[in-house]
Amino acid sequence: MIRLKPGFEHDTIAVEASGMIEAGDYSRVLIPALEQALKDHASVRIWYEIADGCRGASLLSLWQDVLLGLFHLDDFRRIAILTNRPAFRRMGELIGLFMPCPVCVFPLDEVQSAKIWLSQRC
């Protein structure tokens, strides 16, 4: 499940993943938030926090993630991924190799460092 997290700058889409990430989470939560933010901003920052209790992602949700990245490739300014899970850490690092914007993966206990990094100009 993906839910929006409040308390971030207006040009930042912040989400928290918990439980099982499903494809519908993208169509119900992430895509509408991105499209709304892009009405006011040429590019946005992404805060993607993966809770320790996150059990994984369905194959269809992974495909949705790939499509989101492809269709909005130039719409991201920076992406911060926070997770303690090694598999999600490796996925985040792999995503960073293919994105034109900076992507950085942080442990969940480095929230402040991640916020500082995300707020920096490219």
Side-chain angles (χ1 to χ4, degrees), residues 100-114:
C101 69
V103 176
C104 194
V105 182
F106 296 88
L108 287 171
D109 63 354
E110 291 186 18
V111 169
Q112 194 58 35
S113 295

Side-chain angles (χ1 to χ4, degrees), residues 8-64:
F8 286 80
E9 295 293 323
H10 55 86
D11 67 341
T12 301
I13 298 168
V15 296
E16 180 181 21
S18 62
M20 187 69 169
I21 303 168
E22 300 290 346
D25 295 329
Y26 283 81
S27 59
R28 280 190 314 274
V29 180
L30 196 51
I31 293 171
L34 177 61
E35 290 173 350
Q36 183 63 40
L38 289 172
K39 289 180 182 178
D40 297 326
H41 305 283
S43 62
V44 295
R45 301 169 197 270
I46 302 290
W47 176 277
Y48 203 113
E49 188 174 319
I50 304 169
D52 283 336
C54 185
R55 295 188 315 271
S58 71
L59 286 177
L60 193 52
S61 73
L62 294 174
W63 179 244
Q64 288 286 80

Side-chain angles (χ1 to χ4, degrees), residues 56-113:
S58 71
L59 286 177
L60 193 52
S61 73
L62 294 174
W63 179 244
Q64 288 286 80
D65 196 46
V66 167
L67 291 177
L68 181 72
L70 288 174
F71 287 122
H72 292 282
L73 198 59
D74 294 326
D75 294 333
F76 303 118
R77 192 171 323 140
R78 279 183 173 248
I79 300 173
I81 301 169
L82 290 87
T83 183
N84 290 334
R85 306 275 308 273
F88 285 116
R89 172 174 282 286
R90 285 189 298 277
M91 273 190 351
E93 291 166 350
L94 182 64
I95 288 167
L97 296 174
F98 297 99
M99 294 299 291
C101 69
V103 176
C104 194
V105 182
F106 296 88
L108 287 171
D109 63 354
E110 291 186 18
V111 169
Q112 194 58 35
S113 295

